[in-house]
Amino acid sequence: MIKLLIAEDEHLERKAIKFFINKLYKEEIRIVAEVSNGEEAFFQALEKDVDLVLMDIKMPKLNGLEAAEKLKEKIPGIEIIILTAHSEFDYAQKSIKIGVSDYLVKPYVEADFKEVIDSALNKIKAKKKENEKEKELLEKIKNISPVLEKEIILNIIYNTESSINNFLKHTRLLGIKAENYLFITFNYQDQHKINTDLYN
């Protein structure tokens, strides 16, 4: 479920937003917080780890743009939709520079609301999918790391022609960042297979 925060100081406006959300996105969006000022919007969004914020521009303590800017600094990936009246349209345009997803000009109809929310949801879902892929990749790298580490050591021990190239390639895959490396080699009398326990 997508976690939504509603930041709106007008009770009737909050009620209208909840009506649309429950009607159109009951299975997709969960409202995790409702606040009436920008300061509370900022703290609640961080605390509840929300995906989407519907933020009115005119609010006490911190206005919507100030709260949105602070949130974007803390959570760059958060989606924020600014709610604004016609007379505040210039502010809405400025909000795009801050990095908010979109804005809704009041009074809006259901079709406008749905169009803007759908767009934000698509962005959120795409980011979540990307994050899942990244987690899977990191898990694969984590599982293959011991194999790569052993191969690095074997390449160094046997001094194969491609040792250095493979070593540098593997260190990049393992996320090892350094300019200098130290290798310690041991000379064994027994030329049989090296005991892998030595470099586990």
Side-chain angles (χ1 to χ4, degrees), residues 150-169:
K150 287 180 181 181
E151 191 173 332
I152 287 173
I153 292 169
L154 286 172
N155 279 336
I156 292 164
I157 289 171
Y158 291 114
N159 194 27
T160 58
E161 193 174 336
S162 59
S163 293
I164 294 299
N165 289 335
N166 283 341
F167 171 75
L168 294 173
K169 193 186 298 179

Side-chain angles (χ1 to χ4, degrees), residues 132-143:
E132 284 303 314
K133 282 184 181 177
E134 194 173 316
K135 282 180 187 175
E136 286 175 17
L137 182 60
L138 287 172
E139 190 62 30
K140 284 178 183 175
I141 291 173
K142 183 181 173 185
N143 292 334

Side-chain angles (χ1 to χ4, degrees), residues 10 27 30 34 39 121 142:
E10 294 290 336
E27 303 301 319
R30 180 163 59 95
E34 295 177 51
E39 192 174 89
L121 287 184
K142 183 181 173 185

Side-chain angles (χ1 to χ4, degrees), residues 169-183:
K169 193 186 298 179
H170 292 160
T171 53
R172 282 196 296 272
L173 283 170
L174 293 168
I176 299 169
K177 295 179 182 178
E179 292 182 4
N180 299 305
Y181 302 93
L182 174 66
F183 303 106

Side-chain angles (χ1 to χ4, degrees), residues 58-170:
K58 281 193 173 177
M59 285 190 297
K61 296 188 179 180
L62 274 180
N63 68 44
L65 291 184
E66 291 167 335
E69 190 168 17
K70 282 184 71 175
L71 269 176
K72 275 293 185 181
E73 285 172 6
K74 286 283 184 183
I75 318 170
I78 196 169
E79 296 296 325
I80 302 171
I81 295 168
I82 291 290
L83 309 173
T84 178
H86 279 288
S87 59
E88 302 158 348
F89 188 67
D90 287 344
Y91 290 105
Q93 289 180 311
K94 285 178 187 175
S95 72
I96 301 299
K97 292 179 183 177
I98 292 169
V100 305
S101 310
D102 213 331
Y103 55 89
L104 270 168
V105 179
K106 301 184 229 179
Y108 45 80
V109 296
E110 184 178 309
D112 296 334
F113 185 87
K114 189 175 187 310
E115 183 183 351
V116 170
I117 298 294
D118 281 351
S119 175
L121 287 184
N122 287 335
K123 290 177 188 174
I124 292 167
K125 287 172 186 174
K127 283 175 192 169
K128 284 183 181 286
K129 196 172 180 181
E130 184 90 13
N131 289 340
E132 284 303 314
K133 282 184 181 177
E134 194 173 316
K135 282 180 187 175
E136 286 175 17
L137 182 60
L138 287 172
E139 190 62 30
K140 284 178 183 175
I141 291 173
K142 183 181 173 185
N143 292 334
I144 204 172
S145 289
V147 178
L148 291 177
E149 288 167 357
K150 287 180 181 181
E151 191 173 332
I152 287 173
I153 292 169
L154 286 172
N155 279 336
I156 292 164
I157 289 171
Y158 291 114
N159 194 27
T160 58
E161 193 174 336
S162 59
S163 293
I164 294 299
N165 289 335
N166 283 341
F167 171 75
L168 294 173
K169 193 186 298 179
H170 292 160

Side-chain angles (χ1 to χ4, degrees), residues 13-63:
E13 291 289 346
R14 289 203 304 273
K15 198 171 179 180
I17 291 167
K18 285 193 288 183
F19 172 78
F20 282 141
I21 293 295
N22 291 328
K23 180 183 176 182
L24 302 169
Y25 303 101
K26 194 172 183 180
E27 303 301 319
E28 289 184 271
I29 296 176
R30 180 163 59 95
I31 300 168
V32 295
E34 295 177 51
V35 299
S36 57
N37 67 71
E39 192 174 89
E40 193 64 22
F42 174 72
F43 289 117
Q44 284 293 312
L46 294 180
E47 185 181 321
K48 307 282 186 184
D49 190 27
V50 301
D51 304 296
L52 176 61
V53 178
L54 292 180
M55 181 99 70
D56 186 33
I57 279 188
K58 281 193 173 177
M59 285 190 297
K61 296 188 179 180
L62 274 180
N63 68 44

